[in-house]
Amino acid sequence: MRRLIAPMSCSFLILPLVACGAEDVGDADPAAEAGVEADTGGETADTPAPRCPFTVSQLSEIVGQPMVYQGSCSFGDGNGVALLTVTTASRLAGETTYGYERDQAGKVYREVKDVDKGDKAYLAVKDIGAEAVVVSGAGSYTVTLSSFQRLGASPDGYERTLRALLDALPL
């Protein structure tokens, strides 16, 4: 019985920490709790990751074909072929990974272009897909499109659609 008391005591101490979730354990801002504003070098504090910016009907209209929500801001054509995904992150996370993502896009896509959206953005296209990354004060967005037969049939189909999606983002 003695051998069980120590492990059980430890589990009662650790279990509440695990059950609370990350935002309750260790993520508190001491400056905010003390009523002091954090020094951000004149910039506003980082924004949280935005919610999924699109509805099924919005995307269906922009893409020009019916779309089906698949969870986690991922949408498909209902046939398991075409896929549109939006990944969101905080502004700081987007800025931190932007250079790396743009470099990788240059290795994967046929063409990579800077676009005038948010603080910085690019779009990248190839025959069977496209990607765009936007970093803005509202957060950052990575939009990927792949295997849309209708878009691939037109020389600028992916780029045109991606630009329309970027125009619809809540920046």
Side-chain angles (χ1 to χ4, degrees):
M1 180 73 170
R2 252 187 198 163
R3 286 185 282 172
L4 296 176
I5 293 174
M8 286 181 64
S9 297
C10 288
S11 68
F12 287 119
L13 294 173
I14 295 172
L15 185 60
L17 295 176
V18 174
C20 290
E23 61 272 3
D24 294 330
V25 181
D27 280 353
D29 181 358
E33 288 180 7
V36 177
E37 290 190 27
D39 180 12
T40 58
E43 295 183 22
T44 58
D46 191 28
T47 59
R51 294 180 166 264
C52 185
F54 299 114
T55 64
V56 173
S57 60
Q58 286 174 312
L59 286 179
S60 296
E61 185 177 325
I62 293 170
V63 173
Q65 70 182 63
M67 300 298 293
V68 177
Y69 185 68
Q70 298 178 330
S72 299
C73 209
S74 181
F75 304 83
D77 64 357
N79 299 317
V81 180
L83 182 65
L84 188 155
T85 304
V86 181
T87 305
T88 62
S90 70
R91 179 188 51 80
L92 180 60
E95 283 186 10
T96 303
T97 60
Y98 182 85
Y100 175 78
E101 288 183 60
R102 193 177 193 300
D103 183 55
Q104 291 302 302
K107 296 174 184 176
V108 174
Y109 292 91
R110 173 189 66 214
E111 187 176 2
V112 179
K113 300 177 182 179
D114 291 327
V115 291
D116 189 23
K117 294 289 175 194
D119 298 332
K120 53 179 135 183
Y122 73 84
L123 66 83
V125 294
K126 60 182 179 181
D127 296 338
I128 60 169
E131 169 184 284
V133 173
V134 178
V135 178
S136 75
S140 62
Y141 300 89
T142 301
V143 181
T144 56
L145 295 160
S146 64
S147 304
F148 283 84
Q149 185 177 10
R150 187 183 74 71
L151 300 180
S154 172
D156 67 341
Y158 276 106
E159 183 175 340
R160 204 172 359 98
T161 302
L162 200 50
R163 286 183 183 275
L165 289 166
L166 295 180
D167 287 343
L169 287 175
L171 305 175

Coordinates of all heavy atoms in Angstrom, one line a residue, residues 43-126:
E43 N 4.9 48.9 -31.4 CA 4.0 48.2 -32.2 C 2.9 47.6 -31.2 O 3.1 47.5 -30.0 CB 4.6 47.0 -32.9 CG 5.6 47.5 -33.9 CD 6.2 46.3 -34.7 OE1 5.6 45.2 -34.7 OE2 7.3 46.4 -35.2
T44 N 1.8 47.3 -31.8 CA 0.7 46.6 -31.0 C 1.1 45.2 -30.7 O 1.9 44.6 -31.4 CB -0.6 46.6 -31.8 OG1 -0.4 45.9 -33.0 CG2 -1.1 48.0 -32.0
A45 N 0.6 44.7 -29.6 CA 0.9 43.3 -29.2 C 0.4 42.4 -30.3 O -0.4 42.7 -31.1 CB 0.2 43.0 -27.9
D46 N 1.0 41.2 -30.3 CA 0.7 40.2 -31.3 C -0.8 39.8 -31.2 O -1.4 39.8 -30.2 CB 1.5 38.9 -31.1 CG 1.4 37.9 -32.2 OD1 1.2 38.4 -33.3 OD2 1.6 36.7 -32.0
T47 N -1.4 39.6 -32.4 CA -2.8 39.2 -32.5 C -2.9 37.7 -32.4 O -2.0 36.9 -32.8 CB -3.3 39.6 -33.9 OG1 -2.6 39.0 -34.9 CG2 -3.3 41.1 -34.0
P48 N -4.0 37.2 -31.9 CA -4.2 35.7 -31.9 C -4.5 35.3 -33.3 O -4.8 36.1 -34.2 CB -5.4 35.5 -31.0 CG -6.1 36.8 -31.0 CD -5.1 37.9 -31.2
A49 N -4.4 34.0 -33.5 CA -4.7 33.4 -34.9 C -6.2 33.7 -35.1 O -7.1 33.5 -34.3 CB -4.5 31.9 -34.9
P50 N -6.5 34.3 -36.3 CA -7.9 34.5 -36.7 C -8.7 33.2 -36.9 O -8.1 32.2 -37.1 CB -7.8 35.4 -37.9 CG -6.5 35.2 -38.5 CD -5.6 34.7 -37.4
R51 N -10.0 33.4 -36.9 CA -10.9 32.2 -37.2 C -10.8 32.0 -38.7 O -10.4 32.8 -39.4 CB -12.3 32.5 -36.8 CG -12.5 32.7 -35.3 CD -14.0 33.0 -35.0 NE -14.2 32.8 -33.6 CZ -14.7 31.7 -33.1 NH1 -15.0 30.7 -33.8 NH2 -14.9 31.6 -31.8
C52 N -11.4 30.8 -39.1 CA -11.5 30.5 -40.5 C -12.3 31.7 -41.2 O -13.4 32.0 -40.7 CB -12.3 29.2 -40.7 SG -12.4 28.7 -42.4
P53 N -11.8 32.3 -42.2 CA -12.4 33.5 -42.8 C -13.5 33.3 -43.8 O -14.1 34.2 -44.2 CB -11.2 34.2 -43.4 CG -10.3 33.1 -43.9 CD -10.5 32.0 -42.8
F54 N -13.8 32.0 -44.1 CA -14.7 31.7 -45.2 C -15.8 30.8 -44.8 O -15.6 30.0 -43.9 CB -14.0 31.1 -46.4 CG -13.0 32.0 -47.0 CD1 -11.6 31.6 -47.0 CD2 -13.3 33.2 -47.6 CE1 -10.7 32.4 -47.5 CE2 -12.3 34.0 -48.2 CZ -11.0 33.6 -48.1
T55 N -17.0 30.9 -45.4 CA -18.0 30.0 -45.3 C -18.0 29.1 -46.6 O -17.4 29.5 -47.6 CB -19.4 30.7 -45.2 OG1 -19.7 31.4 -46.4 CG2 -19.4 31.6 -44.0
V56 N -18.8 28.0 -46.5 CA -18.9 27.2 -47.7 C -19.5 27.9 -48.9 O -19.0 27.8 -50.0 CB -19.7 25.9 -47.4 CG1 -20.0 25.1 -48.6 CG2 -19.0 25.0 -46.3
S57 N -20.5 28.7 -48.6 CA -21.1 29.4 -49.7 C -20.2 30.5 -50.4 O -20.2 30.6 -51.6 CB -22.5 30.0 -49.3 OG -22.3 31.0 -48.3
Q58 N -19.4 31.2 -49.5 CA -18.5 32.1 -50.0 C -17.4 31.4 -51.0 O -17.2 31.9 -52.1 CB -17.7 32.8 -48.9 CG -18.5 33.8 -48.1 CD -17.7 34.3 -47.0 OE1 -17.1 33.6 -46.2 NE2 -17.6 35.6 -46.8
L59 N -16.9 30.3 -50.5 CA -15.9 29.7 -51.3 C -16.4 29.1 -52.5 O -15.8 29.1 -53.6 CB -15.2 28.6 -50.4 CG -14.2 29.1 -49.4 CD1 -13.6 27.9 -48.6 CD2 -13.1 29.9 -50.0
S60 N -17.6 28.5 -52.4 CA -18.3 27.9 -53.6 C -18.4 29.0 -54.7 O -18.2 28.8 -55.9 CB -19.6 27.4 -53.3 OG -19.5 26.3 -52.4
E61 N -18.8 30.2 -54.3 CA -19.0 31.3 -55.2 C -17.6 31.7 -55.8 O -17.5 31.9 -57.0 CB -19.6 32.5 -54.5 CG -19.9 33.6 -55.5 CD -20.7 34.8 -54.8 OE1 -21.5 34.5 -53.9 OE2 -20.4 35.9 -55.2
I62 N -16.6 31.9 -55.0 CA -15.3 32.4 -55.4 C -14.6 31.3 -56.3 O -14.1 31.7 -57.4 CB -14.4 32.7 -54.2 CG1 -14.9 33.9 -53.5 CG2 -12.9 32.9 -54.7 CD1 -14.2 34.2 -52.2
V63 N -14.7 30.1 -56.0 CA -14.0 29.0 -56.7 C -14.8 28.6 -58.0 O -14.3 28.1 -58.9 CB -13.8 27.8 -55.8 CG1 -13.3 26.6 -56.6 CG2 -12.8 28.1 -54.7
G64 N -16.2 28.8 -57.9 CA -17.0 28.6 -59.1 C -17.5 27.1 -59.2 O -17.8 26.7 -60.2
Q65 N -17.5 26.4 -58.0 CA -18.1 25.1 -58.0 C -18.5 24.8 -56.5 O -17.9 25.4 -55.6 CB -17.1 24.1 -58.5 CG -15.9 23.8 -57.6 CD -14.9 22.8 -58.2 OE1 -14.3 23.1 -59.3 NE2 -14.7 21.7 -57.6
P66 N -19.4 23.9 -56.3 CA -19.8 23.5 -55.0 C -18.7 23.0 -54.1 O -17.9 22.2 -54.6 CB -20.9 22.5 -55.2 CG -21.3 22.6 -56.6 CD -20.1 23.1 -57.4
M67 N -18.6 23.5 -52.9 CA -17.6 23.0 -52.0 C -18.2 22.4 -50.7 O -19.4 22.7 -50.4 CB -16.6 24.2 -51.6 CG -15.9 24.9 -52.7 SD -14.8 23.8 -53.6 CE -13.6 23.5 -52.4
V68 N -17.5 21.5 -50.0 CA -18.0 20.9 -48.9 C -17.0 21.1 -47.7 O -15.8 21.0 -47.9 CB -18.1 19.3 -49.1 CG1 -18.6 18.6 -47.8 CG2 -19.1 19.1 -50.2
Y69 N -17.5 21.5 -46.6 CA -16.6 21.8 -45.4 C -16.1 20.4 -44.9 O -16.9 19.5 -44.6 CB -17.4 22.6 -44.3 CG -16.5 22.9 -43.2 CD1 -15.5 23.9 -43.3 CD2 -16.6 22.4 -41.9 CE1 -14.6 24.2 -42.3 CE2 -15.8 22.7 -40.8 CZ -14.8 23.7 -41.0 OH -14.0 24.0 -40.0
Q70 N -14.8 20.3 -44.6 CA -14.2 19.1 -44.2 C -13.6 19.2 -42.8 O -13.0 18.3 -42.3 CB -13.2 18.6 -45.2 CG -13.8 18.3 -46.5 CD -12.7 17.8 -47.5 OE1 -11.6 18.2 -47.5 NE2 -13.2 17.0 -48.4
G71 N -13.8 20.4 -42.1 CA -13.3 20.6 -40.8 C -12.0 21.3 -40.9 O -11.2 21.3 -41.9
S72 N -11.6 22.0 -39.8 CA -10.4 22.8 -39.6 C -10.1 23.7 -40.8 O -8.9 23.8 -41.3 CB -9.2 21.8 -39.4 OG -9.4 21.0 -38.3
C73 N -11.1 24.4 -41.3 CA -10.9 25.4 -42.4 C -10.4 24.7 -43.7 O -9.6 25.3 -44.4 CB -10.1 26.6 -42.0 SG -10.6 28.1 -42.9
S74 N -10.8 23.5 -43.9 CA -10.5 22.7 -45.1 C -11.8 22.4 -45.8 O -12.8 22.0 -45.2 CB -9.8 21.5 -44.7 OG -9.4 20.7 -45.8
F75 N -11.7 22.6 -47.2 CA -12.9 22.5 -48.0 C -12.6 21.6 -49.2 O -11.5 21.7 -49.8 CB -13.4 23.8 -48.5 CG -13.7 24.8 -47.4 CD1 -12.7 25.5 -46.8 CD2 -15.0 24.9 -46.9 CE1 -12.9 26.4 -45.7 CE2 -15.3 25.8 -45.9 CZ -14.2 26.6 -45.3
G76 N -13.5 20.7 -49.6 CA -13.2 19.9 -50.7 C -14.4 20.0 -51.7 O -15.4 20.6 -51.5
D77 N -14.2 19.3 -52.8 CA -15.2 19.3 -53.9 C -16.3 18.2 -53.7 O -17.2 18.1 -54.5 CB -14.5 19.1 -55.3 CG -13.8 17.8 -55.4 OD1 -13.8 17.0 -54.5 OD2 -13.3 17.6 -56.5
G78 N -16.1 17.4 -52.6 CA -17.1 16.4 -52.3 C -16.8 15.1 -53.1 O -17.4 14.0 -52.8
N79 N -15.8 15.1 -53.9 CA -15.4 13.9 -54.7 C -14.0 13.4 -54.2 O -13.5 12.4 -54.9 CB -15.3 14.2 -56.2 CG -16.7 14.6 -56.7 OD1 -17.7 14.0 -56.3 ND2 -16.7 15.6 -57.5
G80 N -13.4 14.0 -53.3 CA -12.1 13.6 -52.8 C -11.0 14.0 -53.7 O -9.9 13.4 -53.6
V81 N -11.2 15.0 -54.6 CA -10.1 15.4 -55.5 C -9.6 16.8 -55.2 O -8.5 17.0 -54.7 CB -10.6 15.3 -57.0 CG1 -9.5 15.8 -57.9 CG2 -11.1 13.9 -57.3
A82 N -10.4 17.8 -55.4 CA -10.0 19.2 -55.2 C -10.0 19.5 -53.7 O -10.9 19.1 -53.0 CB -10.9 20.1 -56.0
L83 N -9.1 20.3 -53.3 CA -9.0 20.7 -51.9 C -8.5 22.2 -51.7 O -7.6 22.6 -52.4 CB -7.9 19.8 -51.2 CG -7.7 20.0 -49.7 CD1 -9.0 19.7 -48.9 CD2 -6.6 19.2 -49.2
L84 N -9.2 22.9 -50.9 CA -8.9 24.3 -50.5 C -8.7 24.3 -49.0 O -9.6 23.9 -48.3 CB -10.0 25.2 -51.0 CG -9.7 26.7 -50.8 CD1 -10.5 27.5 -51.8 CD2 -9.9 27.3 -49.4
T85 N -7.6 24.8 -48.5 CA -7.3 24.8 -47.1 C -6.8 26.2 -46.7 O -6.0 26.8 -47.5 CB -6.2 23.8 -46.7 OG1 -6.6 22.5 -47.1 CG2 -6.0 23.8 -45.2
V86 N -7.3 26.7 -45.6 CA -6.8 28.0 -45.1 C -6.3 27.7 -43.7 O -7.0 27.2 -42.8 CB -8.0 29.0 -44.9 CG1 -7.4 30.3 -44.4 CG2 -8.6 29.2 -46.3
T87 N -5.0 28.0 -43.5 CA -4.4 27.9 -42.2 C -4.1 29.3 -41.6 O -3.6 30.1 -42.3 CB -3.0 27.1 -42.3 OG1 -3.2 25.9 -43.0 CG2 -2.4 26.9 -41.0
T88 N -4.6 29.5 -40.4 CA -4.4 30.8 -39.8 C -3.4 30.7 -38.6 O -3.2 29.7 -38.1 CB -5.7 31.3 -39.2 OG1 -6.2 30.4 -38.2 CG2 -6.8 31.4 -40.3
A89 N -2.7 31.9 -38.4 CA -1.8 31.9 -37.3 C -1.7 33.4 -36.8 O -2.3 34.3 -37.5 CB -0.4 31.5 -37.8
S90 N -1.0 33.6 -35.8 CA -0.9 35.0 -35.3 C 0.0 35.8 -36.2 O 0.7 35.2 -37.1 CB -0.3 35.0 -33.9 OG 1.1 34.6 -34.0
R91 N 0.0 37.1 -36.1 CA 0.8 38.0 -37.0 C 2.3 37.6 -36.7 O 3.0 37.5 -37.7 CB 0.5 39.4 -36.6 CG 1.4 40.4 -37.4 CD 1.3 41.8 -36.9 NE 1.4 42.0 -35.5 CZ 2.6 42.0 -34.9 NH1 3.7 42.0 -35.5 NH2 2.7 42.2 -33.6
L92 N 2.7 37.5 -35.5 CA 4.1 37.2 -35.2 C 4.5 35.8 -35.7 O 5.6 35.7 -36.3 CB 4.3 37.2 -33.6 CG 5.7 36.9 -33.2 CD1 6.7 38.0 -33.7 CD2 5.8 36.9 -31.6
A93 N 3.7 34.8 -35.6 CA 4.0 33.5 -36.2 C 4.2 33.6 -37.7 O 5.1 33.0 -38.3 CB 3.0 32.5 -35.8
G94 N 3.3 34.4 -38.3 CA 3.3 34.6 -39.8 C 4.6 35.3 -40.2 O 5.3 34.9 -41.2
E95 N 5.0 36.3 -39.5 CA 6.2 37.1 -39.8 C 7.4 36.2 -39.6 O 8.4 36.3 -40.4 CB 6.3 38.3 -39.0 CG 5.4 39.4 -39.4 CD 5.6 40.7 -38.7 OE1 6.6 40.8 -37.9 OE2 4.8 41.6 -38.9
T96 N 7.4 35.4 -38.6 CA 8.5 34.5 -38.2 C 8.8 33.5 -39.3 O 10.0 33.2 -39.6 CB 8.3 33.8 -36.9 OG1 8.1 34.8 -35.9 CG2 9.5 33.0 -36.5
T97 N 7.8 32.9 -39.9 CA 7.9 31.9 -40.9 C 7.8 32.3 -42.4 O 8.1 31.5 -43.3 CB 6.9 30.7 -40.7 OG1 5.6 31.3 -40.8 CG2 7.0 30.1 -39.3
Y98 N 7.5 33.6 -42.6 CA 7.2 34.1 -43.9 C 8.4 33.8 -44.9 O 8.2 33.3 -46.0 CB 6.9 35.6 -43.9 CG 6.6 36.1 -45.3 CD1 5.3 36.0 -45.8 CD2 7.6 36.8 -46.0 CE1 5.0 36.6 -47.0 CE2 7.3 37.3 -47.3 CZ 6.0 37.2 -47.8 OH 5.7 37.7 -49.0
G99 N 9.6 34.2 -44.5 CA 10.8 34.1 -45.4 C 11.0 32.6 -45.8 O 11.3 32.3 -46.9
Y100 N 10.9 31.7 -44.8 CA 11.1 30.3 -45.1 C 10.0 29.8 -46.0 O 10.3 29.1 -47.0 CB 11.1 29.5 -43.8 CG 11.2 28.0 -44.0 CD1 12.4 27.4 -44.3 CD2 10.0 27.2 -43.9 CE1 12.5 26.0 -44.5 CE2 10.1 25.9 -44.1 CZ 11.3 25.3 -44.4 OH 11.4 23.9 -44.6
E101 N 8.8 30.1 -45.8 CA 7.7 29.7 -46.6 C 7.8 30.2 -48.0 O 7.6 29.4 -49.0 CB 6.3 30.1 -46.0 CG 5.9 29.4 -44.8 CD 4.6 29.8 -44.3 OE1 3.6 29.6 -45.1 OE2 4.5 30.3 -43.2
R102 N 8.2 31.4 -48.2 CA 8.4 32.0 -49.5 C 9.5 31.3 -50.3 O 9.4 31.0 -51.4 CB 8.6 33.5 -49.5 CG 8.5 34.1 -50.8 CD 8.7 35.6 -50.7 NE 8.3 36.3 -51.9 CZ 8.8 36.1 -53.2 NH1 9.7 35.3 -53.4 NH2 8.4 36.8 -54.2
D103 N 10.6 31.0 -49.5 CA 11.7 30.3 -50.1 C 11.3 28.9 -50.6 O 11.7 28.4 -51.7 CB 12.9 30.2 -49.1 CG 14.1 29.5 -49.7 OD1 14.6 29.9 -50.7 OD2 14.6 28.5 -49.1
Q104 N 10.6 28.2 -49.7 CA 10.1 26.8 -50.1 C 9.1 26.9 -51.3 O 9.2 26.0 -52.2 CB 9.4 26.2 -48.9 CG 10.3 25.8 -47.8 CD 11.4 24.9 -48.2 OE1 11.2 23.8 -48.7 NE2 12.7 25.3 -48.1
A105 N 8.3 27.9 -51.4 CA 7.4 28.1 -52.5 C 8.1 28.2 -53.8 O 7.7 27.6 -54.8 CB 6.5 29.3 -52.3
G106 N 9.3 28.9 -53.7 CA 10.1 29.0 -54.9 C 10.6 27.7 -55.4 O 11.0 27.5 -56.6
K107 N 10.7 26.7 -54.6 CA 11.2 25.4 -54.9 C 10.1 24.4 -55.4 O 10.4 23.5 -56.1 CB 11.9 24.7 -53.7 CG 13.2 25.5 -53.3 CD 13.8 24.9 -52.1 CE 15.0 25.8 -51.6 NZ 15.5 25.3 -50.3
V108 N 8.9 24.7 -55.0 CA 7.7 23.9 -55.3 C 6.9 24.4 -56.5 O 6.4 23.6 -57.3 CB 6.9 23.7 -54.1 CG1 5.6 22.9 -54.4 CG2 7.7 23.0 -52.9
Y109 N 6.7 25.7 -56.6 CA 5.8 26.3 -57.5 C 6.6 26.9 -58.7 O 7.7 27.3 -58.6 CB 4.9 27.3 -56.9 CG 4.0 26.8 -55.9 CD1 4.3 26.6 -54.5 CD2 2.7 26.3 -56.3 CE1 3.4 26.1 -53.6 CE2 1.8 25.8 -55.4 CZ 2.2 25.6 -54.1 OH 1.3 25.1 -53.2
R110 N 5.9 26.9 -59.9 CA 6.5 27.4 -61.1 C 6.8 28.9 -61.0 O 7.7 29.4 -61.5 CB 5.5 27.1 -62.2 CG 5.8 27.7 -63.6 CD 4.7 27.6 -64.6 NE 3.6 28.4 -64.1 CZ 2.3 28.1 -64.3 NH1 1.9 27.0 -64.9 NH2 1.4 28.9 -63.8
E111 N 5.9 29.6 -60.3 CA 6.0 31.1 -60.3 C 5.6 31.6 -58.9 O 4.6 31.2 -58.3 CB 5.0 31.7 -61.3 CG 5.1 33.1 -61.5 CD 4.2 33.6 -62.7 OE1 3.5 32.8 -63.3 OE2 4.2 34.8 -62.9
V112 N 6.4 32.5 -58.3 CA 6.1 33.1 -57.0 C 6.1 34.6 -57.2 O 7.1 35.2 -57.8 CB 7.1 32.7 -56.0 CG1 6.8 33.4 -54.6 CG2 7.2 31.2 -55.8
K113 N 5.1 35.3 -56.8 CA 5.0 36.8 -56.9 C 4.6 37.4 -55.6 O 3.8 36.9 -54.9 CB 3.8 37.1 -57.9 CG 4.0 36.6 -59.3 CD 2.7 37.0 -60.1 CE 2.8 36.4 -61.5 NZ 1.6 36.8 -62.2
D114 N 5.2 38.6 -55.4 CA 4.7 39.4 -54.2 C 3.4 40.0 -54.6 O 3.2 40.4 -55.8 CB 5.8 40.5 -53.9 CG 7.0 39.9 -53.3 OD1 7.0 38.9 -52.6 OD2 8.1 40.5 -53.6
V115 N 2.5 40.2 -53.6 CA 1.2 40.8 -53.9 C 1.0 41.9 -52.8 O 1.6 41.8 -51.7 CB 0.0 39.8 -53.9 CG1 0.1 38.9 -55.1 CG2 0.0 39.0 -52.7
D116 N 0.2 42.9 -53.2 CA 0.0 44.0 -52.3 C -1.2 43.7 -51.4 O -2.3 44.2 -51.6 CB -0.2 45.3 -53.1 CG -0.3 46.5 -52.3 OD1 0.3 46.5 -51.1 OD2 -0.9 47.5 -52.7
K117 N -1.0 42.9 -50.4 CA -2.0 42.6 -49.4 C -1.4 42.6 -48.0 O -0.3 42.1 -47.8 CB -2.6 41.2 -49.6 CG -3.4 41.1 -50.9 CD -4.7 41.8 -50.8 CE -5.4 41.8 -52.1 NZ -6.5 42.7 -52.1
G118 N -2.1 43.1 -47.0 CA -1.6 43.1 -45.6 C -0.2 43.8 -45.5 O 0.1 44.7 -46.3
D119 N 0.6 43.3 -44.6 CA 1.9 43.8 -44.4 C 2.9 43.3 -45.4 O 3.8 43.9 -45.9 CB 2.4 43.5 -43.0 CG 1.6 44.2 -41.9 OD1 1.0 45.2 -42.2 OD2 1.5 43.6 -40.8
K120 N 2.7 42.0 -45.7 CA 3.5 41.3 -46.8 C 2.8 40.1 -47.2 O 2.1 39.4 -46.4 CB 4.9 41.0 -46.3 CG 5.1 40.2 -45.0 CD 6.5 39.9 -44.7 CE 6.8 40.2 -43.3 NZ 8.2 40.0 -43.0
A121 N 2.9 39.8 -48.5 CA 2.2 38.6 -49.0 C 2.8 38.2 -50.3 O 3.5 39.0 -51.0 CB 0.7 39.0 -49.3
Y122 N 2.6 36.9 -50.6 CA 3.0 36.4 -51.9 C 2.0 35.4 -52.4 O 1.2 34.9 -51.6 CB 4.4 35.7 -51.9 CG 4.5 34.4 -51.2 CD1 4.1 33.2 -51.8 CD2 4.9 34.3 -49.8 CE1 4.2 32.0 -51.2 CE2 4.9 33.1 -49.2 CZ 4.6 31.9 -49.9 OH 4.6 30.7 -49.2
L123 N 2.0 35.1 -53.7 CA 1.2 34.0 -54.2 C 2.1 33.2 -55.1 O 3.0 33.7 -55.7 CB -0.1 34.5 -54.9 CG 0.0 35.3 -56.2 CD1 0.2 34.4 -57.4 CD2 -1.3 36.0 -56.4
A124 N 1.9 31.9 -55.1 CA 2.7 31.0 -55.9 C 1.7 30.0 -56.7 O 0.7 29.6 -56.1 CB 3.6 30.2 -55.0
V125 N 2.0 29.8 -57.9 CA 1.2 28.9 -58.7 C 2.0 27.9 -59.5 O 3.1 28.1 -59.8 CB 0.3 29.8 -59.7 CG1 -0.7 30.6 -59.0 CG2 1.2 30.6 -60.6
K126 N 1.3 26.8 -59.8 CA 1.8 25.8 -60.7 C 0.6 25.2 -61.4 O -0.6 25.6 -61.2 CB 2.6 24.7 -60.0 CG 1.9 23.9 -58.9 CD 2.8 23.0 -58.3 CE 2.1 22.2 -57.1 NZ 3.0 21.3 -56.5

